[in-house]
Amino acid sequence: MIKILQSPHVWAFTTYFAEGFPYTIIRMISSVFFRDMRVSLEGIGLTSLFGIPWVLKFLWGPLIDEYRTKRNWMLWTQSLLAVMAIGAGLLAPAPSGIRIIAVLFFVGSFLAATHDMAIDGYYMEALDERGQAKFVGYRVMAYRIAMMTGTGVIVTIGTTAGWAVGFLSAGAVLSMLFGYHTLFLPRVEAEKRPFSGLIRGLLSPAFLGGILCVLLALLLFHRFVPSFFEYFSPSWVGIGLLVALFLLALLKKQIKSALLKNKDSFYSKAFVAYMDREKMGITLAFIIFMRTGESMLTSMVSPFVVDLGIKVHYGWISGGVGLPFSIVGAMIGGWMISRYTLKRTIWPFLLAQNFTNLLYMVLAFYLGRFILLNTGASVATPIGSHNLLLVATVHSFDQFAGGLGTAVLVTFLMRTCLPDYKAAHFAIGTGLMNLSGVFSGVLSGFLAGWLGYGMFFGLSFLASIPGMVLVFFIPFLDRESK
């Protein structure tokens, strides 16, 4: 029995379920919760800032490779994420609970991003290349099931029994996963450096003094210069990150020389090893732009469903209809990649993924009158069984195409990883992939509020075109370019 519980068929599923579930709570369920609490579309768009840690996680990704084991990192962050979900459940009924939960989710996003890196690194450490390819569809399926469990079961509980019960249920799920992984997750690597060395560095006077200065600066700006936050908007944050990336490409040689001054630095070697390869400029551009359209769509689908007046139906649409199609998409995607190669499948799969945006555009225009009637209404006007079936159909295609797209994107990112820096390189790749997601997600609320859902979904498809075009110029698609 213990051997079965320690089999990759079990832990590959549970770890990637555990990876997808906190992400779903923070990035997807939160938007339904905040919209249900009458937060504006602009405010919903700003919840995309919860994605910042997934953009910047490569900055501390090498620490996971260098200190303790990936299993240790996974368990510690998993336990704290369970505490986060339980805390949200206790705070949900409080009058000021919305603001505190927003802060809690932002802090939790750093834990979840670290948790993701630990799981990805563990997966690549525990399985050889053949095993990784064998379970790629399986891990995508588990991740999608976690997303459907969150958007289906937890959202249904939240919109019917109350959000306190919903978030407490999410905390119970994470607690059970933590218990299973503590008891049965195999130990597949030896500890490289003790965790005490990292703790001493974090507790150093210089580090703590820097944190204190940042907190004081934010407090002073917020107290005396509130207009600073209006000027230093999230859009400028995204533009700044993009400019920094281009400067990184221009100053590659100088940065490489500076980083390699300390030849024993694991961080320096991991970062330079990732960047110092042919065609990395076009590769980085593709990684950044390949999910722009999907990110814009995802950030506004939940408030779109709430404004349609069918929030109580969203659970069965996601869990009962979306889940099977998501599983089928992930499994077919993994099978077709292994049979027909990544090079042949990546473009049609991305096209299918982004075609969903056009379907939502047509749906939004067709059901526009219900959006006008039900937005902010205390009692929703029914949209009719025919229209409800239409929404479920579009959502099912969305989940099927999303499974296809995720399979090729995960496979591509794994192709960019070098064997000695698996967790660090995968963290860099996924961090860059989320860059455009944060930037476009923040703008989505303002654009949707200004243009309306129909025009906005059409614009989100246009935003996906650069990523699809870049497919024809990127490396790492052939089996030889590992």
Side-chain angles (χ1 to χ4, degrees):
M1 183 64 180
I2 293 178
K3 288 185 177 180
I4 295 175
L5 292 174
Q6 292 182 330
S7 167
H9 292 84
V10 178
W11 64 252
F13 179 88
T14 59
T15 54
Y16 276 92
F17 184 95
E19 180 174 325
F21 197 62
Y23 180 88
T24 305
I25 295 172
I26 295 169
R27 299 300 309 276
M28 301 175 71
I29 296 176
S30 66
S31 62
V32 181
F33 166 70
F34 290 126
R35 190 58 174 171
D36 199 23
M37 297 293 105
R38 308 291 177 85
V39 176
S40 67
L41 285 180
E42 291 80 2
I44 300 296
L46 289 174
T47 61
S48 294
L49 291 175
F50 294 157
I52 286 178
W54 279 275
V55 176
L56 300 178
K57 63 183 181 179
F58 67 89
L59 294 175
W60 64 91
L63 299 176
I64 296 174
D65 282 312
E66 191 171 6
Y67 291 95
R68 291 299 297 269
T69 64
K70 298 167 186 67
R71 184 181 183 276
N72 293 131
W73 284 93
M74 187 194 312
L75 293 176
W76 276 104
T77 51
Q78 207 166 96
S79 64
L80 293 174
L81 286 167
V83 173
M84 176 206 72
I86 293 171
L90 297 176
L91 289 166
S96 59
I98 295 177
R99 293 183 179 181
I100 302 175
I101 290 173
V103 174
L104 190 64
F105 282 169
F106 184 67
V107 174
S109 64
F110 284 90
L111 295 171
T114 306
H115 182 242
D116 289 4
M117 290 188 289
I119 290 175
D120 293 329
Y122 181 87
Y123 177 84
M124 289 186 281
E125 199 75 45
L127 300 172
D128 58 19
E129 187 171 315
R130 185 176 179 181
Q132 293 171 25
K134 178 181 177 181
F135 287 99
V136 66
Y138 198 68
R139 61 187 274 195
V140 172
M141 177 187 70
Y143 197 98
R144 304 295 292 189
I145 290 176
M147 294 176 70
M148 294 304 102
T149 302
T151 56
V153 178
I154 302 302
V155 168
T156 298
I157 294 173
T159 54
T160 54
W163 286 105
V165 180
F167 287 132
L168 288 174
S169 300
V173 171
L174 286 170
S175 298
M176 288 188 290
L177 288 168
F178 169 72
Y180 162 73
H181 291 148
T182 301
L183 295 173
F184 299 109
L185 193 66
R187 301 175 187 271
V188 297
E189 59 180 323
E191 181 179 301
K192 294 180 180 178
R193 295 177 61 181
F195 202 64
S196 57
L198 176 61
I199 294 175
R200 282 195 297 269
L202 296 178
L203 294 178
S204 66
F207 182 84
L208 294 177
I211 294 294
L212 181 60
C213 288
V214 170
L215 293 175
L216 287 174
L218 289 174
L219 181 63
L220 290 172
F221 271 121
H222 182 65
R223 176 67 178 85
F224 299 108
V225 196
S227 59
F228 169 82
F229 287 95
E230 297 176 8
Y231 175 76
F232 196 68
S233 65
S235 61
W236 287 106
V237 174
I239 293 172
L241 291 172
L242 214 54
V243 170
L245 188 67
F246 286 121
L247 289 175
L248 180 66
L250 290 173
L251 302 174
K252 185 174 100 172
K253 290 184 178 179
Q254 293 88 334
I255 294 173
K256 177 183 176 182
S257 176
L259 285 174
L260 290 181
K261 282 183 178 179
N262 181 4
K263 295 183 179 181
D264 295 326
S265 171
F266 186 90
Y267 181 90
S268 300
K269 289 187 288 186
F271 190 77
V272 171
Y274 187 83
M275 301 295 293
D276 194 23
R277 288 179 283 177
E278 292 184 7
K279 295 187 177 180
M280 283 307 293
I282 198 74
T283 301
L284 295 178
F286 171 70
I287 291 173
I288 291 171
F289 290 113
M290 64 184 174
R291 299 192 79 165
T292 303
E294 184 196 18
S295 298
M296 292 180 68
L297 174 72
T298 302
S299 63
M300 286 294 114
V301 163
S302 296
F304 170 67
V305 170
V306 173
D307 289 345
L308 267 179
I310 57 171
K311 65 180 183 182
V312 296
H313 297 284
Y314 189 51
W316 70 260
I317 291 174
S318 296
V321 178
L323 173 57
F325 279 91
S326 175
I327 295 172
V328 170
M331 299 304 290
I332 289 178
W335 175 78
M336 291 188 70
I337 290 169
S338 62
R339 182 174 177 84
Y340 298 106
T341 74
L342 179 64
K343 187 174 184 178
R344 293 182 180 179
T345 55
I346 187 169
W347 196 84
F349 283 6
L350 288 181
L351 178 63
Q353 174 184 275
N354 295 319
F355 182 71
T356 305
N357 301 46
L358 295 179
L359 294 180
Y360 270 106
M361 178 187 72
V362 174
L363 187 67
F365 281 126
Y366 179 70
L367 299 176
R369 64 190 183 94
F370 292 105
I371 296 174
L372 293 175
L373 287 171
N374 291 328
T375 299
S378 56
V379 179
T381 301
I383 67 172
S385 57
H386 173 75
N387 291 329
L388 193 60
L389 178 62
L390 187 61
V391 174
T393 302
V394 171
H395 184 75
S396 65
F397 179 81
D398 177 22
Q399 295 304 310
F400 175 79
L404 297 177
T406 302
V408 295
L409 297 179
V410 168
T411 304
F412 177 78
L413 290 178
M414 290 175 65
R415 292 276 183 91
T416 68
C417 299
L418 293 173
D420 293 336
Y421 310 101
K422 295 171 184 176
H425 285 183
F426 201 82
I428 293 172
T430 53
L432 291 172
M433 182 178 68
N434 283 292
L435 175 62
S436 63
V438 173
F439 181 47
S440 59
V442 167
L443 293 179
S444 294
F446 297 92
L447 291 173
W450 175 43
L451 298 172
Y453 286 114
M455 291 291 290
F456 168 76
F457 290 141
L459 180 65
S460 69
F461 175 78
L462 296 178
S464 71
I465 293 176
M468 291 190 289
V469 171
L470 288 171
V471 168
F472 299 102
F473 305 98
I474 55 176
F476 304 110
L477 296 182
D478 295 319
R479 190 174 295 275
E480 297 89 303
S481 57
K482 295 180 183 178

